Amino acid sequence: MIKKIRKFYLRTLRKMRFLPPKLYAKSHYEYFTGKKLNLENPIEFNEKIAWYKVFYRPTILTQLVDKYAVRDYVEEKIGKQYLNELYAVYDSPEEIKYNELPQQFVLKATHASGYNLIVKDKNKLDKALSNKLLKKWLNINQYYRTGQEWAYKDVKPRIIAEKFIKDEKRESLTDYKFYCFDGIVKFMEVHIDREENLKLASYDLEFNKLPFNKMPLKNRIEGPIEKPATLNKMIELSEKLAKNIPFVRVDFYSIHDKIIFGELTFYPSDARRDYDPEEYNKIIGDYFKLPQLKNGQKVITEFN
């Protein structure tokens, strides 16, 4: 009974998105992991992600999570050849000239994660319904929609239209997600079959499957998958993009041996999903060396 009351209390706090960051982070973390959050001495990986949300706030993070603005950063660090083709950027759905877009394309919200409209046949697209959906997206603030992911708080809401990319070997694109700590890739996650039935697993830098997985375990990749020919290059590019950042996940696609940048992520799974076996929450947490608050700082605003 006490556990149920506690869960109800935490669920109620989670709905109060305007709570002070420290209080909100503690209730959010405990609600999803069942563990207390120690912001003074975080140990596990998700604890440190929660700390990151509260205390690590260089303004450049706003650019780096913006699906449009990040393109300048990627072009500067590794070159524009790794960017997907951009057709247009819009401040409102009314600006979209569908007749000028190709038969296949993707519409994405720049200010949030996971808001993608994949158009495989423009002739079948209900444009009125599409615009209604896009307008709804533009009224969402990712910071308040999730667990106060700080980097998204001030991202300008826009819509971009990009080239539709297809991997002929699978129905959905394979995502290669590189976990970078102080600019060094320690391991990667691979996500497959996102549109049908998402599966994922963790791999080392030689593409050997690692003995840990994010919960829930029903999403684990069980069999072997093909090692991408571009793996070493993706690792190299990830480390260039991650330079001087305590932690960031760098996502790429590899289509016909062509590398395409996906996104930069500072808060994987919003610090909600632990690893199994349990001991890997600390092992991965040990990779993450948090920057220090100095001279009475309340938050860190510098980016080296």
Side-chain angles (χ1 to χ4, degrees):
M1 179 60 71
I2 293 176
K3 287 184 178 180
K4 288 184 178 179
I5 293 173
R6 181 68 179 172
K7 193 77 169 179
F8 175 79
Y9 169 72
L10 294 170
R11 183 166 59 246
T12 302
L13 287 181
R14 279 196 63 251
K15 295 177 182 179
M16 300 178 182
R17 304 293 167 86
F18 292 90
L19 285 174
K22 290 182 183 179
L23 176 57
Y24 191 86
K26 289 181 178 182
S27 61
H28 180 82
Y29 180 82
E30 185 181 349
Y31 177 80
F32 283 104
T33 69
K35 295 178 280 191
K36 298 285 187 180
L37 172 61
N38 184 350
L39 287 173
E40 287 66 45
N41 184 32
I43 301 296
E44 296 187 352
F45 177 67
N46 280 328
E47 278 191 292
K48 292 185 177 182
I49 293 297
W51 187 99
Y52 222 33
K53 290 193 288 185
V54 175
F55 295 110
Y56 190 67
R57 300 187 170 190
T59 54
I60 193 174
L61 266 61
T62 299
Q63 176 193 356
L64 300 187
V65 299
D66 183 321
K67 302 298 187 296
Y68 177 65
V70 72
R71 294 173 65 90
D72 288 338
Y73 180 83
V74 173
E75 183 173 345
E76 175 190 347
K77 297 295 182 181
I78 62 175
K80 64 181 179 181
Q81 66 269 30
Y82 299 107
L83 292 167
N84 192 18
E85 183 177 351
L86 178 72
Y87 298 132
V89 57
Y90 314 103
D91 289 321
S92 70
E94 289 76 18
E95 295 178 11
I96 301 175
K97 297 178 181 179
Y98 287 99
N99 61 309
E100 296 181 0
L101 292 172
Q103 198 64 21
Q104 295 183 319
F105 56 91
V106 179
L107 296 174
K108 296 181 178 180
T110 62
H111 60 295
S113 181
Y115 288 115
N116 307 313
L117 179 60
I118 300 172
V119 180
K120 297 182 180 180
D121 185 349
K122 186 169 66 173
N123 293 335
K124 297 180 180 179
L125 178 65
D126 186 327
K127 298 178 180 63
L129 190 60
S130 170
N131 284 357
K132 184 178 180 181
L133 176 64
L134 298 177
K135 190 170 291 186
K136 180 180 178 181
W137 288 356
L138 290 174
N139 287 320
I140 289 172
N141 186 306
Q142 175 93 346
Y143 174 81
Y144 295 112
R145 185 183 74 89
T146 59
Q148 292 190 352
E149 295 179 331
W150 178 84
Y152 291 97
K153 189 175 183 179
D154 296 319
V155 179
K156 181 180 179 181
R158 290 174 289 188
I159 301 294
I160 54 173
E162 288 187 337
K163 181 179 180 180
F164 171 78
I165 51 178
K166 171 72 174 172
D167 185 347
E168 302 302 330
K169 297 179 182 179
R170 291 186 176 273
E171 286 298 313
S172 302
L173 292 176
T174 299
D175 246 333
Y176 301 97
K177 301 175 179 290
F178 298 88
Y179 281 66
C180 303
F181 301 85
D182 291 320
I184 303 298
V185 176
K186 292 294 189 180
F187 67 94
M188 74 193 78
E189 273 179 11
V190 179
H191 291 205
I192 62 173
D193 301 335
R194 178 178 297 277
E195 291 183 41
E196 306 82 42
N197 183 22
L198 174 65
K199 300 291 183 184
L200 60 92
S202 298
Y203 296 81
D204 67 16
L205 304 194
E206 301 299 323
F207 214 66
N208 301 303
K209 192 178 289 186
L210 291 167
F212 59 85
N213 215 72
K214 273 187 179 175
M215 300 292 286
L217 294 181
K218 66 180 181 179
N219 290 341
R220 180 170 48 195
I221 296 172
E222 296 296 349
I225 59 173
E226 184 179 356
K227 176 182 177 179
T230 57
L231 177 60
N232 289 338
K233 187 63 177 180
M234 286 192 288
I235 292 171
E236 175 191 331
L237 296 174
S238 295
E239 294 186 342
K240 288 182 178 180
L241 291 174
K243 186 177 180 180
N244 296 325
I245 303 176
F247 167 76
V248 64
R249 196 191 75 203
V250 182
D251 295 1
F252 284 109
Y253 305 107
S254 182
I255 311 297
H256 307 302
D257 296 339
K258 176 179 171 58
I259 298 171
I260 300 174
F261 172 76
E263 65 179 359
L264 299 178
T265 300
F266 295 92
Y267 321 111
S269 303
D270 196 19
R272 301 181 185 197
R273 297 173 61 190
D274 271 347
Y275 286 95
D276 181 88
E278 170 67 25
E279 60 263 27
Y280 281 94
N281 292 298
K282 181 183 182 303
I283 291 171
I284 298 169
D286 287 343
Y287 296 146
F288 195 168
K289 309 302 181 186
L290 292 173
Q292 298 297 309
L293 292 165
K294 300 176 182 178
N295 301 323
Q297 282 182 313
K298 293 185 177 179
V299 296
I300 293 170
T301 58
E302 303 92 350
F303 183 82
N304 297 324

